Amino acid sequence: SVIGSPDYFLNWRSTDASTENLAQDRNDCALILDDLAQVDGRLVNDVSLMLGNGLGKNRGKAEGGNRRTARWKTMLLSSGEVSLAEHAASVGKQVHAGSEVRINDIPAECDAGMKGLEYIHDYDSPTKLIRAFGENVTQYHGTAFPAFLDHLLRIQQEIPTVIQDCEKAFTQAVLTDKSSSSQCLRVANRFSIIIAAGELATRLGITGWPPGEAMKAGIACYEAWLESFGGTGNREERQIISMVRHFLESHGEGRFVPFDRADDSHAPKTLQRCGYRKAANDGMTEYFVLRESFKHEVCKGKDYRAAARVLIDKGYMKPGEGKNLCPKVDLPHEGRIRAFHILPSIWSDDDD
């Protein structure tokens, strides 16, 4: 309603080429897509990366050479009842951290009966406020954005300073943890641009908000995104730790031979063995994962070297000597070989 009529927003249900065309059509403006669930869950990673990168697919010409690659710069706004991660998981896929950094899931969680609203201002109920929204959108849609652009053309020299001031104030407010990842910084920078636009529009008399309202709303949305994202740490690292924990939870009993029963002919036979487990001095269990099992099963779909370094850096796995990622250990019936030694500290809740 800020930019145009209700026909301005589009839906996710389209082919790759069509999605590129939509993005180009909205170049230097907002791309508003309705209902994320309409895009194929198997393609959600590729589509979100493409839209976030502002770069289309490379295509060849029938006569040879390549067509001109589609490019755009737009701000994407989407609605949906599921997050990127939930939608990808529905078809057995895992969403990439890069996708979640480019398209930020902000949950709309409010009190029961509020219909997705935090405040109803001077209205008696959420329903009456929503009805008022609808009536005003019908009458005034497409008014604010042209007026905003018209004012911006008159104060072009001031815009960089406003953006820099908003970025500084916003990052100081939300990036209070010195260990915040580059992913959080990247998202915070994008939020600061939106906040700067809101504060500018307020100063120019377009929004009717008090000064600072856009900043307040931006901080609330960022904090909601950060909680959904899982915190200020690196998303890929949390995914790796979660993946290893899930494998051990699922197969810790069935696919790891107990040290103390390795020679017991009456012990249950371990099928599809991927290593050994041993009770540590404190009664917790440590795991020795055979190298090929660690590469192809525990770290399926990930770079096993990167995964091993994350576990070692976190203190969840014993490092090898020198440049080796895994130490040499004495295993029953295996002799002295290299294996990935996962420690009981893997169950620490520091990364939850």
Side-chain angles (χ1 to χ4, degrees):
S1 63
V2 170
I3 298 175
S5 71
D7 295 332
Y8 184 87
F9 79 87
L10 308 164
N11 64 62
W12 279 94
R13 189 176 181 83
S14 60
T15 63
D16 282 357
S18 177
T19 301
E20 290 180 26
N21 292 335
L22 295 178
Q24 287 185 94
D25 186 56
R26 297 293 192 262
N27 184 45
D28 286 336
C29 201
L31 173 62
I32 304 175
L33 299 177
D34 182 43
D35 196 0
L36 176 65
Q38 291 190 56
V39 69
D40 191 333
R42 295 169 296 180
L43 304 176
V44 69
N45 267 314
D46 295 338
V47 174
S48 58
L49 286 171
M50 179 186 72
L51 290 174
N53 289 336
L55 192 63
K57 185 185 293 185
N58 294 324
R59 294 179 175 87
K61 295 180 180 179
E63 63 273 18
N66 286 335
R67 301 179 187 178
R68 184 178 179 181
T69 302
R71 297 175 183 272
W72 56 84
K73 185 178 291 184
T74 184
M75 189 69 73
L76 172 64
L77 179 64
S78 172
S79 65
E81 297 180 0
V82 294
S83 66
L84 281 174
E86 291 169 342
H87 194 32
S90 69
V91 291
K93 299 288 185 180
Q94 186 179 61
V95 72
H96 301 316
S99 299
E100 294 183 290
V101 170
R102 287 165 175 81
I103 299 181
N104 314 131
D105 286 317
I106 303 174
E109 296 180 354
C110 301
D111 295 336
M114 289 293 288
K115 299 185 182 296
L117 301 174
E118 291 183 332
Y119 307 105
I120 60 173
H121 303 280
D122 297 326
Y123 290 86
D124 296 331
S125 68
T127 301
K128 290 184 178 180
L129 176 57
I130 292 172
R131 186 180 298 120
F133 274 146
E135 293 171 353
N136 284 300
V137 165
T138 300
Q139 185 172 359
Y140 300 112
H141 63 260
T143 302
F145 193 62
F148 180 59
L149 294 180
D150 182 59
H151 282 79
L152 288 185
L153 292 174
R154 304 175 191 177
I155 59 167
Q156 292 184 60
Q157 302 302 322
E158 301 177 36
I159 295 174
T161 301
V162 173
I163 292 176
Q164 291 170 8
D165 291 345
C166 280
E167 182 177 351
K168 182 179 179 180
F170 181 70
T171 53
Q172 286 178 346
V174 299
L175 298 180
T176 55
D177 187 346
K178 293 182 179 180
S179 64
S180 296
S181 67
S182 59
Q183 296 166 339
C184 292
L185 178 60
R186 181 174 178 179
V187 174
N189 287 338
R190 189 182 302 118
F191 267 74
S192 66
I193 295 173
I194 299 172
I195 291 168
E199 292 297 338
L200 267 173
T202 295
R203 194 173 80 184
L204 296 171
I206 294 173
T207 66
W209 303 336
E213 187 67 20
M215 178 67 72
K216 179 181 176 182
I219 291 173
C221 288
Y222 179 86
E223 290 177 345
W225 167 79
L226 187 63
E227 183 177 356
S228 174
F229 189 65
T232 58
N234 185 283
R235 180 70 159 188
E236 283 100 339
E237 291 183 359
R238 291 198 299 274
Q239 287 179 340
I240 286 170
I241 294 167
S242 176
M243 177 180 62
V244 174
R245 286 174 175 168
H246 180 260
F247 187 90
L248 296 179
E249 288 174 349
S250 301
H251 306 293
E253 292 286 334
R255 299 187 61 186
F256 289 86
V257 179
F259 249 73
D260 57 355
R261 301 199 66 181
D263 295 319
D264 187 348
S265 60
H266 297 291
K269 187 174 181 62
T270 302
L271 302 177
Q272 296 182 310
R273 175 177 57 91
C274 59
Y276 295 82
R277 53 189 166 93
K278 180 181 181 181
N281 294 332
D282 58 0
M284 300 291 287
T285 302
E286 52 188 354
Y287 297 89
F288 300 88
V289 188
L290 300 177
R291 285 182 293 176
E292 296 306 311
S293 294
F294 186 83
K295 293 178 185 178
H296 302 295
E297 294 194 68
V298 178
C299 300
K300 185 177 180 180
K302 299 284 186 182
D303 181 345
Y304 81 91
R305 299 177 187 85
R309 292 189 188 98
V310 168
L311 295 175
I312 291 170
D313 290 344
K314 291 288 186 179
Y316 299 160
M317 186 160 68
K318 187 175 180 180
E321 67 283 356
K323 295 183 179 180
N324 292 299
L325 292 173
C326 52
K328 284 189 174 182
V329 292
D330 293 309
L331 298 177
H333 309 302
E334 304 285 350
R336 188 167 182 76
I337 64 170
R338 292 194 183 278
F340 291 91
H341 184 178
I342 300 178
L343 303 170
S345 56
I346 186 67
W347 305 112
S348 167
D349 61 1
D350 292 344
D351 297 280
D352 288 349

